[in-house]
Amino acid sequence: MKSIGGLMFVLGLGSFLLHYMGMEFKLLMWIDNWGPATGTAIRIGLVVVGGLLWLIAGRQEKAVAAE
């Protein structure tokens, strides 16, 4: 779960930065099909959800290790 969250965070943040430089990840080229506002919302969603998954999974790993 932690690796999936980290991947989503990195792809979302990277896509956000690359978009403003006129580039895009091939995996995420579909994001702007519904317009720039929706594309930005999807990118922000990837960053937020990925970050939350990464944080929650990291806390769960620490809790299991402490037992």
Side-chain angles (χ1 to χ4, degrees):
M1 194 67 103
K2 189 175 179 180
S3 61
I4 292 171
L7 179 64
M8 287 175 65
F9 181 81
V10 168
L11 284 175
L13 189 61
S15 176
F16 200 95
L17 295 173
L18 286 174
H19 175 70
Y20 290 106
M21 295 189 315
M23 296 180 274
E24 188 62 71
F25 290 123
K26 286 190 181 221
L27 180 66
L28 300 176
M29 292 179 102
W30 58 270
I31 287 178
D32 286 321
N33 284 346
W34 299 288
T38 305
T40 301
I42 293 171
R43 287 179 184 92
I44 291 171
L46 278 171
V47 170
V48 170
V49 172
L52 286 174
L53 283 174
W54 186 73
L55 288 173
I56 291 169
R59 288 183 182 171
Q60 285 180 348
E61 284 180 0
K62 288 179 184 176
V64 169
E67 291 179 355

